[in-house]
Each structure stands twice: as C-alpha cells, then as structure tokens.
Amino acid sequence: MLACALQTMGSSCSRPHSVNEADAADNTRSADIDRRILQETKADQHIHKLLLLGAGESGKSTIFKQIKLLFRTGFDEAELKGYTPVIHANVFQTIKILYDGAKELAQVEPESSKYVILPDNQEIGEKLSEIGGRLDYPSLNKELVQDVRKLWEDQAIQVFVSVSVKRCE
C-alpha cells in the first residue's frame, strides 16, 4: 500500500511538473506579447492622429498634404509622379479660363481692345482652350509648354489677370 501511495504521489508530483512547463511556455509567450505591446506603444508615442471632417472638395486632402510637407520629409518619388497629371490638368484648365475670359471681356467691355488676343496667339488659345475643356489631358511636352508660355505672355491675358485680381480684392 505504501508503494502504491508512493507511486501515486510520484505521478501526481510529475503532473504539476508538466503543468509548470506549460505555464512557463505560456508565461514566456505572454512576456513576449507584453514586450511587443510596450515597444509598439513607445513607437506610437510620437504619432499624432488627426481626423479631418468636411464636405467633399472642402480642402481635407490639401490640409493633409500641407501637414505632410511641413512636418515630414515630403513626398516619395511615386507620390510625386502621381501628381504630374493633376498639375498638367490644372495648367490646361487655367489657361482655358484665362483665354476664354479675355475673349469674353473683349466682346462686352467698353475698353475691349485691351482684351483682344494677338492674332498669332488666337490659334494657340483656341487649341489650348479645346484641350482645357476635355476630360483627358495630354502630358505637357515642349511644344505645349511653349504655347502656354506664349499665350500667358500675351498682353490681353496679362491685363485680364490684373483686372480679375483687382475685382477679387
């Protein structure tokens, strides 16, 4: 009976030993998880989260881009290349507005002669205005850049811009 009791005690003693190994493995995993949580918490301490709310086209993306420029290293190469079509579209849309606005003022203003585009630039203006009215814009190449520059330098466009700025003040 004593031998039986010793065998039973021995097996019960070995059971907690295997449970202790499982507990030790669990404790090691738990300590690893706690260590990772602590590291991530420390890493996230310098991160500031900002929720931008607003209607569409209210400037949320613009504010985000400005924050990125001011407080980070800027944009990576892929982001910069992604903005190229947007910039080209803005150039075409803006030159269209300037050309069409000068043409309209040349027809309705009493001193309309100052808004008349030079004959050499009218064909360029029509071409750029047509491009600016499309939904798909070509990439700016040397020829188109020269056309935009030539139309921009036209005296009628410069007068239109200065009058428009004065009206906004």
Side-chain angles (χ1 to χ4, degrees), residues 74-136:
F75 299 100
D76 62 27
E77 194 67 31
E79 287 176 309
L80 291 174
K81 286 183 180 181
Y83 290 119
T84 302
V86 174
I87 293 168
H88 292 184
N90 285 341
V91 168
F92 289 120
Q93 291 168 359
T94 302
I95 203 69
K96 174 186 177 29
I97 290 168
L98 295 175
Y99 176 73
D100 293 349
K103 266 182 31 178
E104 185 176 329
L105 283 180
Q107 294 171 355
V108 297
E109 284 289 315
E111 298 176 22
S112 63
S113 62
K114 62 183 178 183
Y115 299 110
V116 175
I117 305 287
L118 293 174
D120 293 349
N121 294 337
Q122 286 180 358
E123 186 178 326
I124 293 170
E126 289 297 324
K127 176 175 85 172
L128 293 175
S129 181
E130 186 271 322
I131 292 172
R134 290 195 262 172
L135 295 176
D136 60 326

Side-chain angles (χ1 to χ4, degrees), residues 4-165:
C4 186
L6 287 176
Q7 278 183 340
T8 309
M9 279 178 65
S11 57
S12 67
C13 287
S14 66
R15 252 188 243 139
H17 182 67
S18 64
V19 170
N20 285 340
E21 287 175 9
D23 286 345
D26 287 345
N27 288 341
T28 303
R29 263 188 259 124
S30 178
D32 287 342
I33 291 170
D34 290 343
R35 206 173 312 113
R36 275 190 265 147
I37 289 172
L38 185 62
Q39 287 172 344
E40 289 176 11
T41 303
K42 285 181 182 179
D44 286 347
Q45 283 179 344
H46 73 281
I47 294 175
H48 301 283
K49 295 183 179 181
L50 177 66
L51 176 63
L52 297 175
L53 300 173
E57 301 296 320
S58 64
K60 298 179 298 291
S61 295
T62 303
I63 288 173
F64 178 71
K65 291 171 192 169
Q66 290 296 318
I67 290 170
K68 240 179 128 171
L69 284 172
L70 290 172
F71 297 104
R72 292 177 108 197
T73 57
F75 299 100
D76 62 27
E77 194 67 31
E79 287 176 309
L80 291 174
K81 286 183 180 181
Y83 290 119
T84 302
V86 174
I87 293 168
H88 292 184
N90 285 341
V91 168
F92 289 120
Q93 291 168 359
T94 302
I95 203 69
K96 174 186 177 29
I97 290 168
L98 295 175
Y99 176 73
D100 293 349
K103 266 182 31 178
E104 185 176 329
L105 283 180
Q107 294 171 355
V108 297
E109 284 289 315
E111 298 176 22
S112 63
S113 62
K114 62 183 178 183
Y115 299 110
V116 175
I117 305 287
L118 293 174
D120 293 349
N121 294 337
Q122 286 180 358
E123 186 178 326
I124 293 170
E126 289 297 324
K127 176 175 85 172
L128 293 175
S129 181
E130 186 271 322
I131 292 172
R134 290 195 262 172
L135 295 176
D136 60 326
Y137 304 100
S139 293
L140 281 167
N141 56 34
K142 280 187 176 188
E143 178 191 339
L144 289 170
V145 169
Q146 288 172 347
D147 287 347
V148 169
R149 181 174 287 133
K150 190 170 183 183
L151 189 58
W152 169 253
E153 291 170 350
D154 190 289
Q155 189 61 37
I157 296 292
Q158 292 301 307
V159 171
F160 175 72
V161 169
S162 66
V163 168
S164 298
V165 169

